[in-house]
Amino acid sequence: MALIMSDVDRFEAARPRLEAIAYRLLGSSSEAEDAAQETFLRWQAADVERIEVPEAWLTKVLTNYCLNQLTSARARRESYVGQWLPEPLLAGDPMLGPADTAEQRDSVSYAVLVLLERLSSNERAVYVLREAFDYPHREIAEILDITEAASQQIYHRAKKHVADGKARTEIDDATARRIVEEFLAAATSGRTEPLVRLLTQDAVSVGDGGGKVPARAKAFEGALAVATFMRGLFKPSKAKRNILGGAAEIYATTANGGPAIVAVVDGRVVGITCLEVGPDGIVALRNQVNPDKLVRATELWAATDHEESPLLTL
């Protein structure tokens, strides 16, 4: 059935929320946009006048589409070259969704997105809908075609899994910038010891190049191994400039609500390193250098004024 303008407007009003849900479920902005568009096509084909609660209907369609995508995505990731990491989103990206509560901010943190990969599809959906968007279990049960009791059980199980694997502490933007500045100062000091002091003993570093940019397939584990790698990573060299297509300017920023380092070459984001910080120091560094997962970050970076000077040029 043909939609009238008010029906289109109603969907467009819901699109940001739908994309924010889909991003948390899929870990990809382009896949989140595709999920929202597929939902629109199904909305367009539906008898809208018979849908009693359009927002609930749209959420159900989108969520179930994402669950199907998760099943095929996990199969694709078995043949993915190297480590797979979610796509990071820079501060100000509307796809990050609501950030009014600590739970909402935490639900889109990079550390939590990585942990969500370990959950079953239903656990992931229940956690996202409840934790990030405050859906009551009654509505979640209707969306997923499960009982309300099952929704509650799944949520508690998912929340425990996430809590058990998360060392992150909530920090404000000023603290995030200070952490990045201290880290870069240590990384460029010419010595390993200052970096080791900033890291926890069991710190890890993981890189995602998607087979398109060099990235080690196996994670670096332990403070000394991570510190040694990071010293080399942030050391200027002609080889790096050849790989990146020019000199990279290094900035302190936030991504997914946490401290991050962004590398930019001629206005193009070529790398984002997300720092997971716990009470005892930096727990993990996750380096996203797959160009396919930096397109949206580049678009946002280009559309934003950057008055500050780079902290470092490689």
Side-chain angles (χ1 to χ4, degrees):
M1 297 181 66
L3 294 180
I4 60 175
M5 188 55 67
S6 61
D7 295 329
V8 174
D9 291 343
R10 171 167 264 173
F11 180 85
E12 291 305 325
R15 187 187 289 272
R17 177 179 57 84
L18 296 174
E19 289 186 348
I21 292 172
Y23 169 69
R24 283 166 167 81
L25 290 175
L26 301 173
S28 163
S29 67
S30 60
E31 291 180 14
E33 289 172 341
D34 290 345
Q37 190 58 26
E38 179 64 28
T39 303
F40 174 73
L41 294 176
R42 297 185 187 186
W43 172 252
Q44 193 175 36
D47 186 352
V48 173
E49 291 184 359
R50 300 185 63 180
I51 297 175
E52 294 182 6
V53 186
E55 287 72 17
W57 186 93
L58 292 170
T59 303
K60 182 180 178 72
V61 170
L62 175 102
T63 301
N64 283 285
Y65 175 84
C66 288
L67 293 182
N68 288 334
Q69 292 301 106
L70 274 176
T71 301
S72 59
R74 283 175 171 156
R76 290 196 306 273
R77 287 169 197 166
E78 291 180 3
S79 59
Y80 192 83
V81 178
Q83 300 276 347
W84 186 95
L85 289 173
E87 175 183 350
L89 297 182
L90 296 177
D93 193 315
M95 200 174 282
L96 289 170
D100 299 325
T101 67
E103 291 78 13
Q104 289 172 337
R105 292 188 294 273
D106 203 40
S107 72
V108 79
S109 73
Y110 206 62
V112 168
L113 288 184
V114 171
L115 289 170
L116 289 180
E117 287 294 308
R118 305 177 187 177
L119 304 183
S120 70
S121 297
N122 265 11
E123 286 174 337
R124 190 164 182 163
V126 171
Y127 181 86
V128 166
L129 292 172
R130 180 64 184 159
E131 194 80 352
F133 296 91
D134 202 28
Y135 277 82
H137 284 290
R138 175 181 52 77
E139 291 185 24
I140 295 173
E142 292 174 358
I143 289 169
L144 297 177
D145 292 324
I146 58 178
T147 66
E148 188 171 345
S151 176
Q152 292 170 338
Q153 291 173 354
I154 291 170
Y155 171 67
H156 290 304
R157 186 166 65 242
K159 191 169 184 177
K160 184 179 185 304
H161 287 326
V162 170
D164 287 346
K166 180 171 65 68
R168 178 180 177 271
T169 54
E170 188 168 6
I171 54 180
D172 58 29
D173 289 349
T175 304
R177 182 178 180 85
R178 178 180 56 77
I179 289 170
V180 170
E181 290 174 346
E182 288 180 357
F183 174 82
L184 288 175
T188 56
S189 67
R191 297 181 296 125
T192 304
E193 293 78 9
L195 263 178
V196 171
R197 286 196 294 269
L198 294 177
L199 302 167
T200 61
Q201 291 223 334
D202 58 351
V204 297
S205 174
V206 183
D208 179 350
K212 300 182 179 183
V213 174
R216 192 169 186 258
K218 191 173 183 296
F220 290 92
E221 299 180 353
L224 183 58
V226 172
T228 303
F229 168 66
M230 286 294 162
R231 268 191 62 194
L233 185 65
F234 288 101
K235 184 177 181 180
S237 72
K238 184 177 180 181
K240 283 191 185 69
R241 291 191 288 273
N242 289 338
I243 291 172
L244 298 175
E249 296 180 332
I250 307 300
Y251 294 86
T253 186
T254 58
N256 294 77
I261 301 164
V262 61
V264 182
V265 175
D266 295 330
R268 176 173 53 91
V269 175
V270 297
I272 297 176
T273 299
C274 296
L275 284 68
E276 181 182 353
V277 181
D280 300 320
I282 297 171
V283 177
L285 296 111
R286 298 182 176 93
N287 312 296
Q288 183 55 260
V289 291
N290 183 344
D292 293 344
K293 299 182 183 181
L294 296 171
V295 174
R296 187 178 178 94
T298 294
E299 292 172 352
L300 183 62
W301 188 265
T304 308
D305 291 331
H306 301 283
E307 297 178 357
E308 74 277 13
S309 299
L311 299 175
L312 175 68
T313 301
L314 300 181

